[in-house]
Amino acid sequence: MTTAEQATRTGPYQHYVYAYPHKTAYRELPDRPSLKALWAAEPKDTLSLYLHIPFCEVRCGFCNLFTRIGAPDGLTGAYLDALERQARAVREALGETDDVRFATAAFGGGTPTFLTAAELDRLCDIAEHRMGADLRAVPLSVEASPATATADRLAVLASRGTTRLSLGVQSFVDSEARAAVRPQRRAEVEAALARVRDAAVPVLNIDLIYGIDGQTEQSWRHSLDAALAWRPEELYLYPLYVRPLTGLDRRAPGGAPGPDPAWDEQRLRLYRAGRDHLLAHGYTQQSMRMFRRTDAPPQGADDYACQTDGMIGLGCGARSYTAGLHYSFDYAVGMHQIRGIIDDYVASDASDFAHAEVGHPMNPKEARRRHLLQSLLQAEGLRLDDYRARFGGAPADDFGPELERFADRGWLTDTDPTTLRLTPEGLAHSDAVGPELFSPAVRAAMTAYERK
């Protein structure tokens, strides 16, 4: 079956391309290259910093992120100890202080606000004092859940320079939250949102999900309006996926479902309704998922741009990017395996953190693919002169057959000869566009990955 035939048969919802290559394409690096060698020739004046906290109070049914439920006594402190050891090793590998500057920072997970207020303060200290990031001078984004967005935690984050707080709500309808295996009540969500607004973090983002079992256009509109009542600066609208080894997968008879045209149509219908509703209420579309209020204060790079070379990830679920290598630690979805990886991370000494363990080499062709992906999946598209300046040619020279297929489906606009841009319907099919641009080598590595 050709790639085009596969895309047609599998429908519009194949993969959420938040990183390329995906971690399932990563493999153990037999030579364990030193970080000092990897970063020696890299530009280090506009780095991105990401700190990963792999703990949640509950694991949602749709979640396949690297996180565990709860933490035994002492584990979060031991994890921060390891994070500090890693920060020292990485900072030493980066070299001279004057050459290293961070332009953006983010705390993700998991749920960073699973940590106590004092532990969040320590997390910020690690970013600032060990890595040298000035959190009050750069955009700092932090992920939170309604249950952990407490006043004391938010006060720490606000005082340390947080400019964006992303709250995973998913639905304001209690029955839909239960169907997504996210036990929360709307009253708890509203109280958390009030606390976020009281903390005066400049940008509030609310995550919502469409395609939940039992969800209708009316209930979807209800959640959208409940979110809009808080006038969030950003909204992310996510299609529901049932991933292998997740809670929803375990509930499904026979495991994760195959292609489901009726469900695809429901999700497309709800996406279009949500998109149009937000556009009518003063939001602009940044990508398939991201919508920003027109008068919102500017932030750092948008969602896909986090893949830009020059990213430092700390924590056992974080990725780092150089021009020649994307690297991380081992990846898993199953809870038993995740716990083992966290335990290994906590037991590591500083010398263990001075090397890259798991990763995927990036050659020039893959670099072009990644740039095309992270640009084309943004609403503003890819400027052809920018691509030519970076790579010495045009996207059609490198990816002509793929782009022709997108054009034939009506997914590419021809209204601006200076920019390669998806049509509104192309944006709606971003989760088919992205995977179709995966290289054969990356696709083969992802297929060969043994789930754990």
Side-chain angles (χ1 to χ4, degrees):
M1 185 189 308
T2 67
T3 302
E5 289 169 338
Q6 184 182 40
T8 301
R9 289 187 58 177
T10 54
Y13 298 103
Q14 296 178 47
H15 298 289
Y16 169 23
V17 185
Y18 59 88
Y20 180 80
H22 189 269
K23 267 191 180 180
T24 53
Y26 288 21
R27 294 294 184 269
E28 287 189 14
L29 301 169
D31 55 343
R32 297 181 69 239
S34 73
L35 300 191
K36 186 173 183 179
L38 286 175
W39 285 97
E42 295 288 317
K44 294 184 279 285
D45 56 341
T46 55
L47 296 173
S48 299
L49 179 64
Y50 176 78
L51 275 64
H52 181 261
I53 302 300
F55 306 108
C56 289
E57 75 276 12
V58 66
R59 192 172 196 184
C60 304
F62 50 83
C63 178
N64 69 337
L65 299 178
F66 187 93
T67 187
R68 63 164 290 168
I69 302 169
D73 288 346
L75 181 57
T76 53
Y79 183 84
L80 290 174
D81 290 342
L83 196 71
E84 187 156 9
R85 291 195 298 274
Q86 185 188 8
R88 288 178 183 271
V90 172
R91 192 63 188 78
E92 182 178 350
L94 290 177
E96 294 296 326
T97 302
D98 292 343
D99 296 336
V100 180
R101 295 183 182 85
F102 291 94
T104 64
F107 302 158
T111 308
T113 48
F114 180 90
L115 300 177
T116 65
E119 288 171 333
L120 284 171
D121 214 27
R122 184 182 177 193
L123 185 69
C124 292
D125 282 344
I126 292 171
E128 290 198 333
H129 304 320
R130 300 305 174 209
M131 291 304 298
D134 187 350
L135 298 183
R136 293 174 181 83
V138 302
L140 169 60
S141 178
V142 181
E143 297 173 10
S145 69
T148 60
T150 58
D152 59 338
R153 292 176 170 102
L154 293 171
V156 168
L157 293 175
S159 70
R160 299 302 295 262
T162 300
T163 57
R164 178 181 182 272
L165 197 289
S166 182
L167 199 67
V169 173
Q170 319 315 345
S171 177
F172 284 84
V173 179
D174 290 352
S175 61
E176 291 180 3
R178 289 194 298 272
V181 194
R182 185 178 180 85
Q184 65 185 20
R185 293 183 174 86
R186 178 172 176 176
E188 297 167 346
V189 172
E190 299 281 358
L193 286 165
R195 292 192 295 269
V196 174
R197 283 311 197 195
D198 288 344
V201 175
V203 172
L204 164 64
N205 173 70
I206 296 176
D207 288 345
L208 296 176
I209 284 181
Y210 54 92
I212 300 171
D213 187 32
Q215 191 176 49
T216 65
E217 287 191 52
Q218 182 178 8
S219 68
W220 177 228
R221 177 71 67 88
H222 179 78
S223 279
L224 290 166
D225 286 338
L228 288 171
W230 291 97
R231 299 197 74 244
E233 284 72 22
E234 294 177 1
L235 276 157
Y236 270 71
L237 308 185
Y238 289 94
L240 181 67
Y241 278 93
V242 177
R243 302 294 197 186
L245 304 181
T246 61
L248 290 179
D249 175 44
R250 290 191 294 271
R251 287 187 172 194
D260 185 340
W263 191 30
D264 286 348
E265 183 53 41
Q266 180 211 20
R267 285 180 286 180
L268 278 172
R269 184 172 63 252
L270 293 175
Y271 160 79
R272 292 173 181 134
R275 174 198 63 194
D276 294 347
H277 196 59
L278 295 185
L279 293 178
H281 281 76
Y283 287 76
T284 58
Q285 186 168 17
Q286 306 296 309
S287 69
M288 172 187 169
R289 288 164 172 76
M290 183 183 182
F291 296 80
R292 179 177 290 145
R293 210 178 72 204
T294 305
D295 61 346
Q299 285 291 290
D302 290 337
D303 46 3
Y304 296 96
C306 68
Q307 298 184 62
T308 304
D309 296 335
M311 179 167 166
I312 299 288
L314 301 180
C316 57
R319 311 161 193 261
S320 296
Y321 302 128
T322 69
L325 181 71
H326 289 191
Y327 63 92
S328 182
F329 296 92
D330 200 6
Y331 171 73
V333 176
M335 192 56 63
H336 178 74
Q337 289 79 4
I338 287 175
R339 287 174 178 170
I341 294 170
I342 293 173
D343 290 344
D344 289 344
Y345 176 83
V346 167
S348 298
D349 60 31
S351 62
D352 295 322
F353 294 130
H355 300 268
E357 303 287 347
V358 177
H360 186 91
M362 295 297 292
N363 60 39
K365 182 74 171 181
E366 293 287 22
R368 290 194 290 272
R369 284 185 183 277
R370 182 164 55 99
H371 185 78
L372 177 62
L373 271 166
Q374 68 184 25
S375 302
L376 191 58
L377 296 180
Q378 294 292 311
E380 65 182 14
L382 169 65
R383 288 191 57 84
L384 299 181
D385 57 356
D386 178 52
Y387 189 92
R388 189 172 292 106
R390 287 172 181 260
F391 304 114
D397 298 334
D398 299 319
F399 306 103
E402 294 96 326
L403 297 177
E404 287 178 12
R405 288 195 294 270
F406 298 156
D408 290 343
R409 296 172 194 160
W411 293 354
L412 286 178
T413 178
D414 58 2
T415 57
D416 183 354
T418 69
T419 304
L420 188 65
R421 183 182 293 118
L422 294 174
T423 63
E425 197 60 17
L427 272 181
H429 287 78
S430 291
D431 286 4
V433 170
E436 194 163 332
L437 288 171
F438 288 8
S439 71
V442 165
R443 193 176 293 112
M446 292 174 65
T447 300
Y449 173 77
E450 183 176 348
R451 295 191 184 106
K452 55 187 177 182

